[in-house]
Amino acid sequence: MDIPWWRDAVVYEIYVRSFADASGDGVGDLPGIRSRLPYLAGLGVDAIWLTPFYPSPMADGGYDVADYRGVDPLFGTLADFDALVADAHEHGLRVIVDIVPNHSSARHPWFQAALAGAPGGPERERYVFRDGGDLPPNNWQSTFSGPAWTRLPDGQWYLHLFAPEQPDFNWFSPEVHAEFLDVLRFWLDRGVDGFRIDVAMGLYKQEGLPDTPPLDQAFKAESPIWGRPEVHEVYREWRKVLDSYPDERMAVGEVWTDSAEDLARYVRPDELHQSFNFAWLEAPWSPTAFRKVIDDTLGTVPSPTWVLSNHDVVRHRTRYGEADPGTGLARANAALLTMLALPGSAYLYQGEELGLPEVKDLPPEARQDPIFARSQGTLPGRDGCRVPLPWSGDAPPYGFSPDGARPWLPQPADWAGITADRQDRDPASTLAFYRRALAARRALRGTLPDQITWLDSPEGALFFTRGPLTCALNCGPTPIPLPPHTDLLLSSTPPPTSAPTHAHAPGTGTGTGTGTGTSLGTTSGTGDTLPPDTAVWLRTP
Ligand code: GLC
């Protein structure tokens, strides 16, 4: 079967600041990523997505871009970028870069010109400026807390849906259109395989800027802010550019919406190739919730995607098991195996292959996410999922930075047992499980139908087949009989015999917390049972 590479790719998100630091300044960088490409190739992913590495004052970790065609010195140089792309391709990895079209940094030359220019002048046309009195022009709130408007000394207000350091572009300006088409070409010419589009449902705001419903309802289709109809024209233009390059260049949109129908509008044949399916990430640990998302997605969205974690949300291992880390990890691995059995493409977030938990106890003075400061500390923000990766060694910086350097966010003192190096040598580790699962998925590539068939399952479970593959997930509290099968291909729970040898640090619970007293170590038979919080891949009879 000849399908485009992205349609069933496993893409690994690299949050550049936190992946690997080669320069020793405590911040991850492009040479650091380059040095870890063998690890990523060995993991078995097909592509990497790099979060923004462009020149930026880092008011929002690089999502405030001051120059769309460069590399911030913190992360390296353009030559480092070119070398990274070349090496990634050598390793069989495609490269997706982030593009941030909703807003720039306040330090971007265009915004600096707008500030220096006069109210009503052409320099302000590229952003959203409005006259106002003492009150902002409307009631819009920033996604990061507080009003979405900031007032200038000359009395005008400018719009920022995120931090004040991130002014929103005015997409009704032809200059903005032309600029981004050129930026796309700049990176395509350097060999990138695709783009992840930040805030893809933003960009246009309804003319007249009417008041919006409260923020908790703002991601609705009828919002004056999100998902305006004009935005689709932008992606049609972008698609033409992507299609004019060889080798299946693609784009995936960060689209937060509450309906699969709305999501599907972004992936019409002449628009984006993919859109993140956040409904999967937002679903609680519940077979009915999972089944609904799967049905809604497969019934409505062409080229579906699946994602459990990213740099903006609490890590799924912690979401699934706040009280008991062992349960959280067992569920995380079971959800992963289920997701990898579904048609479409899967996005992984760095560190989930190590079973990393959310770091909840970062000291306030260490926190850097603008959400924390803008909410006066009432919201923790997203630093807890951005803690630099533990690669090796027994103490911070765990090989993330050269010894002696201080990572930009502190790493927990008890991560020695879950470093990549430690897990590499342990067949019962989460890392070993991810490698097995990704290898098994790759081996099945091209042999599986595009749709699934649900099988009858006991309460608390989900059973489905995709041709030769049967996937069974037990979300309930008791073991259940497995569906009919000939062989057990893979389990999210390590065989019970290997559990005691699995080293893990106190409190981090790299063990799965399940898997004892089951017959899942066997490879055949119909009498086997599936423990709670476990998924398996079986060969369909
Ligand atoms: C997206 C990014 C997030 C960023 C925001 C503003 O949601 O994923 O990290 O803060 O856009 O650019």
Side-chain angles (χ1 to χ4, degrees):
M1 232 190 302
D2 198 16
I3 54 169
W5 70 269
W6 44 266
R7 197 180 298 269
D8 63 353
V10 177
V11 183
Y12 183 97
E13 176 188 356
I14 295 184
Y15 189 69
V16 177
R17 301 160 88 196
S18 303
F19 186 71
D21 165 28
S23 70
D25 61 0
V27 179
D29 47 42
L30 301 182
I33 299 169
R34 200 172 156 211
S35 74
R36 298 289 180 183
L37 289 172
Y39 169 84
L40 295 169
L43 181 60
V45 299
D46 302 299
I48 54 177
W49 147 32
L50 307 177
T51 56
F53 47 80
Y54 313 110
S56 163
M58 300 289 152
D60 182 23
Y63 282 96
D64 46 324
V65 180
D67 171 3
Y68 286 86
R69 296 176 186 79
V71 173
D72 195 284
L74 204 52
F75 302 127
T77 62
L78 264 179
D80 291 328
F81 178 81
D82 292 340
L84 173 58
V85 172
D87 270 16
H89 287 163
E90 280 290 306
H91 281 87
L93 297 165
R94 311 253 183 177
V95 180
I96 296 173
V97 298
D98 225 301
I99 188 160
V100 187
N102 182 70
H103 45 266
S104 71
S105 161
R107 304 296 315 168
H108 189 286
W110 278 6
F111 195 72
Q112 290 296 304
L115 291 181
E123 297 86 0
R124 294 201 176 178
E125 263 303 293
R126 301 155 176 155
Y127 293 90
V128 184
F129 282 88
R130 288 292 181 276
D131 289 330
D134 290 340
L135 291 176
N138 67 20
N139 73 347
W140 295 2
Q141 292 292 298
S142 151
T143 310
F144 289 168
S145 290
W149 295 93
T150 290
R151 194 179 184 195
L152 298 176
D154 62 27
Q156 278 213 315
W157 297 77
Y158 71 89
L159 177 70
H160 51 85
L161 293 181
F162 296 88
E165 296 87 349
Q166 294 166 294
D168 278 48
F169 282 116
N170 168 25
W171 270 87
F172 290 104
S173 154
E175 273 188 275
V176 173
H177 276 262
E179 170 68 0
F180 275 93
L181 290 174
D182 195 65
V183 169
L184 292 180
R185 290 199 186 93
F186 178 87
W187 295 104
L188 289 166
D189 288 343
R190 296 197 103 84
V192 306
D193 299 285
F195 297 93
R196 177 265 188 190
I197 303 166
D198 190 61
V199 195
M201 73 299 179
L203 279 57
Y204 280 92
K205 285 84 197 179
Q206 189 174 338
E207 288 199 83
L209 308 179
D211 279 355
T212 182
L215 190 61
D216 59 349
Q217 292 171 37
F219 286 119
K220 308 273 179 199
E222 294 308 314
S223 160
I225 302 178
W226 310 113
R228 302 302 307 159
E230 296 90 342
V231 79
H232 296 284
E233 211 37 63
V234 174
Y235 301 135
R236 291 195 181 100
E237 272 179 18
W238 289 17
R239 179 64 179 252
K240 286 188 200 130
V241 173
L242 292 163
D243 285 351
S244 73
Y245 280 77
D247 305 326
E248 303 172 329
R249 316 292 173 103
M250 55 79 73
V252 53
E254 187 208 15
V255 179
W256 293 90
T257 174
D258 56 4
S259 87
E261 287 73 22
D262 194 33
L263 201 63
R265 279 194 267 275
Y266 290 81
V267 288
R268 286 178 283 200
D270 59 347
E271 295 196 38
L272 303 180
H273 301 75
Q274 295 179 334
S275 207
F276 287 110
N277 181 12
F278 293 121
W280 176 247
L281 168 158
E282 287 171 326
W285 180 255
S286 142
T288 26
F290 286 150
R291 181 164 174 159
K292 180 169 177 357
V293 176
I294 293 170
D295 280 339
D296 286 354
T297 305
L298 296 182
T300 313
V301 185
S303 306
T305 66
W306 310 94
V307 61
L308 288 163
S309 278
N310 65 31
H311 67 283
D312 290 328
V313 300
V314 172
R315 284 186 177 276
H316 61 280
R317 180 236 168 112
T318 302
R319 294 201 312 268
Y320 290 151
E322 194 80 61
D324 172 7
T327 301
L329 185 60
R331 291 179 174 178
N333 290 346
L336 186 268
L337 199 55
T338 307
M339 146 170 145
L340 291 180
L342 293 169
S345 141
Y347 281 77
L348 311 181
Y349 176 50
Q350 67 180 36
E352 67 170 80
E353 78 280 15
L354 304 176
L356 291 192
E358 184 82 0
V359 179
K360 295 231 150 180
D361 57 358
L362 287 168
E365 62 279 9
R367 291 192 182 269
Q368 301 204 15
D369 186 352
I371 291 180
F372 181 71
R374 283 182 63 78
S375 70
Q376 272 85 42
T378 55
L379 300 171
R382 302 159 294 179
D383 292 315
C385 65
R386 299 174 176 180
V387 172
L389 291 193
W391 289 99
S392 59
D394 293 325
Y398 299 116
F400 165 74
S401 291
D403 275 348
R406 257 187 47 196
W408 69 278
L409 277 176
Q411 297 161 302
D414 62 0
W415 272 8
I418 54 171
T419 62
D421 189 43
R422 188 77 74 91
Q423 297 198 39
D424 182 52
R425 291 178 267 126
D426 179 0
S429 67
T430 301
L431 177 59
F433 160 68
Y434 265 69
R435 286 178 181 153
R436 283 194 297 274
L438 294 172
R441 177 178 159 111
R442 195 170 271 185
L444 289 166
R445 185 160 201 254
T447 69
L448 303 177
D450 273 349
Q451 285 297 334
I452 64 167
T453 306
W454 292 109
L455 303 177
D456 286 341
S457 54
E459 208 186 314
L462 286 184
F463 295 169
F464 62 86
T465 60
R466 243 183 112 193
L469 177 67
T470 295
C471 180
L473 167 69
N474 184 5
C475 297
T478 51
I480 53 168
L482 288 175
H485 61 282
T486 57
D487 298 296
L488 171 70
L489 301 173
L490 202 60
S491 166
S492 64
T493 304
T497 47
S498 60
T501 64
H502 186 194
H504 61 271
T508 56
T510 60
T512 63
T514 65
T516 50
T518 76
S519 53
L520 254 183
T522 62
T523 53
S524 65
T526 49
D528 297 354
T529 59
L530 182 62
D533 302 326
T534 300
V536 288
W537 282 10
L538 306 160
R539 200 181 305 283
T540 310

